[in-house]
Amino acid sequence: METYIFDAVRTPRGKGNAKKGALKDVKPMHLLSQLYHALEERNGLDSKAIGALILGCVGQFGDQGSNIAKISSVYHGWDDAINGMTVNTFCSSALTAIGLAHAQVVSGMSDLVVAGGIEMLSRVPMFADKGAWFLDPDVMENTHFTHMGVSADLIASQEGFTREELDAYAVQSHQRAAHATKNGHFSASLIPVVGEKGNKILTHDECIRPHSTIEGMKTLPPIFEQFVSPSIRQKIKERYPSVQQLNHVHHLGNSPQMADGASILLLGSLEKGRSLGLTPRAKIKAFDSTACEPIVMLLGGQLSVQNAVRKAGLKMEDIDLHNFAEAFSATCLKYQRDLNVSSDKFNVNGCTMTMGHAQGASGAMITTTLLDEMERRKVKYGVAGISGGAGLGAAIVIELINA
């Protein structure tokens, strides 16, 4: 049994800012309902055909709590028999949800699954769930809790990346995202967000800064040194003795932007799709989830990409496009160098640093935009990968139908 992707939709990403974000007044339930409606309209979909709904969400608190997958399904009016599951593997949550959906289809548990993720950081801020990992001193010490920005600075220090190189990557990513937006590269899957009165609230990704320049980046001060505790500094020295000095080179311009947004995919068996009159767009060749050492943290996604490509029976040079979540510039430069991936195959339309990182949704966002670009270019293989907190990572390899 193989898993096919029949459709993929997403909202624009709004700034994850409680005062300024365009989506700050939109309820998560309302946002998801619009995507569910889009799947119905685009595919003539009857919810009675759906076996399960699996969503990633990191901040499972407040109006994102109480198993938002199942409750949003009921809220929208979908069939009561749909099994709803909400998962949290930090920033890799939505890709984990897709992987679980893939497993259900392959195993025969479900013939048709909706999977993806949501995060509204303007409404449920990062760390709002008050987890022990980042609040309990004993747990923090014994799990080596490290701020993600410190991990990025550690990677940059290990690899010898300069501030100039990191800034140049960030500017390029903003320019690519702006170019893709202007030329309609995201139009196939982008569903504008409307208000309760039918007024359009957001039609484009709000976080992109099209006028970013190297000169502008130079004015931004590094911000993560303040998060290096004496304990973590000592642990870095013990675990990474080759790092003589921890260089703080990441700032607001070359770090991921917190965002609001949601994205879902319609997945299932070919037989089920045919019975419903659905046309497959791609199939999943392989999925992987893994983890790395928790202090360096942000390498899990790269490891998962390597594993997924191998599981697919492919070599890295077989992959036509790479959509790799931009957990700071350093991880992107390391990925390209380690895996020998040219710039013309890597994040060609920008990614989470520039378009916005809606944590629990980002894995589905990057899979959706990868599929769109593969169809636009008519290429055969693509990979999407993402790193998450505590070293987690996930990746998916997809093959375009009729490439």
Side-chain angles (χ1 to χ4, degrees), residues 98 200 222 224 246 270-271 294 339-340 348:
I98 293 169
K200 287 186 178 181
F224 297 111
L246 187 58
L270 187 59
E271 293 75 17
L339 306 186
N340 193 28
V348 296

Side-chain angles (χ1 to χ4, degrees), residues 141-156:
E141 176 66 23
N142 285 284
T143 58
H144 321 300
F145 174 76
T146 309
H147 191 286
M148 301 78 180
V150 175
S151 297
D153 284 343
L154 173 58
I155 293 169

Side-chain angles (χ1 to χ4, degrees), residues 320-380:
D320 300 293
L321 287 173
H322 298 249
N323 246 26
F324 186 63
E326 294 167 328
F328 307 87
S329 285
T331 63
C332 300
L333 296 183
K334 179 174 173 58
Y335 181 112
Q336 290 181 264
R337 186 166 71 185
D338 288 357
L339 306 186
N340 193 28
V341 176
S342 62
S343 180
D344 61 357
K345 291 184 176 183
F346 185 83
N347 288 352
V348 296
N349 292 330
C351 204
T352 49
M353 180 192 305
T354 48
M355 297 175 67
H357 178 32
Q359 293 174 305
S362 285
M365 291 277 193
I366 63 175
T367 305
T368 296
T369 53
L370 172 67
L371 177 58
D372 286 347
E373 189 63 17
M374 289 174 66
E375 289 179 330
R376 196 180 75 82
R377 297 187 180 211
K378 296 180 173 60
V379 298
K380 191 172 185 179

Side-chain angles (χ1 to χ4, degrees), residues 3-7 265-267 279-284 371 398:
T3 303
Y4 286 79
I5 302 174
F6 298 107
D7 204 2
L265 289 80
L266 182 62
L267 310 167
T279 301
R281 295 172 62 185
K283 67 178 178 181
I284 297 177
L371 177 58
I398 61 176

Side-chain angles (χ1 to χ4, degrees), residues 59-314:
Q60 295 183 36
F61 177 81
D63 56 8
Q64 290 183 165
S66 302
N67 189 1
I68 193 171
K70 178 59 182 175
I71 302 307
S72 64
S73 173
V74 176
Y75 176 82
H76 182 68
W78 271 359
D79 191 75
D80 291 340
I82 295 174
N83 181 29
M85 179 195 308
T86 308
V87 300
N88 179 7
T89 53
F90 301 117
C91 300
S92 62
S93 296
L95 207 47
T96 299
I98 293 169
L100 290 171
H102 170 51
Q104 288 202 8
V105 174
V106 170
S107 68
M109 285 179 61
S110 299
D111 296 321
L112 196 71
V113 185
V114 174
I118 181 167
E119 204 77 41
M120 302 289 285
L121 285 159
S122 66
R123 300 177 68 91
V124 183
M126 192 174 179
F127 304 139
D129 61 348
K130 300 182 180 180
W133 183 47
F134 43 81
L135 280 186
D136 185 314
D138 174 60
V139 175
M140 293 173 71
E141 176 66 23
N142 285 284
T143 58
H144 321 300
F145 174 76
T146 309
H147 191 286
M148 301 78 180
V150 175
S151 297
D153 284 343
L154 173 58
I155 293 169
S157 301
Q158 283 181 299
E159 302 296 327
F161 296 136
T162 66
R163 164 79 183 255
E164 290 72 22
E165 290 174 304
L166 302 175
D167 288 354
Y169 175 83
V171 170
Q172 173 187 269
S173 187
H174 276 288
Q175 291 174 344
R176 287 181 169 185
H179 177 268
T181 298
K182 181 180 179 180
N183 289 278
H185 294 182
F186 302 128
S187 59
S189 61
L190 196 62
I191 306 300
V193 178
V194 300
E196 294 181 3
K197 296 181 180 180
N199 55 307
K200 287 186 178 181
I201 296 174
L202 189 63
T203 61
H204 63 280
D205 295 293
E206 188 182 23
C207 299
I208 302 169
R209 296 190 291 266
H211 303 297
S212 294
T213 64
I214 296 293
E215 291 70 25
M217 292 282 178
K218 288 179 180 178
T219 67
L220 301 173
I223 57 175
F224 297 111
E225 185 173 8
Q226 61 183 309
F227 298 108
V228 186
S229 67
S231 175
I232 286 300
R233 193 176 297 278
Q234 181 59 36
K235 288 176 181 178
I236 288 174
K237 288 182 179 180
E238 293 171 357
R239 296 193 178 199
Y240 301 97
S242 63
V243 178
Q244 298 297 311
Q245 180 178 339
L246 187 58
N247 299 317
H248 296 286
V249 285
H250 286 92
H251 50 77
L252 291 177
N254 56 25
S255 302
Q257 298 184 73
M258 297 296 96
D260 295 336
S263 181
I264 55 174
L265 289 80
L266 182 62
L267 310 167
S269 67
L270 187 59
E271 293 75 17
K272 184 66 172 181
R274 283 174 173 167
S275 73
L276 297 172
L278 301 174
T279 301
R281 295 172 62 185
K283 67 178 178 181
I284 297 177
K285 287 286 289 182
F287 175 84
D288 183 79
S289 59
T290 189
C292 68
E293 192 275 323
I295 293 178
V296 77
M297 191 187 309
L298 300 171
L299 301 182
Q302 179 176 320
L303 293 173
S304 284
V305 166
Q306 292 173 272
N307 291 341
V309 171
R310 175 178 47 79
K311 287 179 178 179
L314 301 172

Side-chain angles (χ1 to χ4, degrees), residues 379-402:
V379 298
K380 191 172 185 179
Y381 296 118
V383 65
I386 188 167
S387 298
L392 293 169
I396 188 170
V397 177
I398 61 176
E399 178 183 353
L400 192 67
I401 304 298
N402 300 321

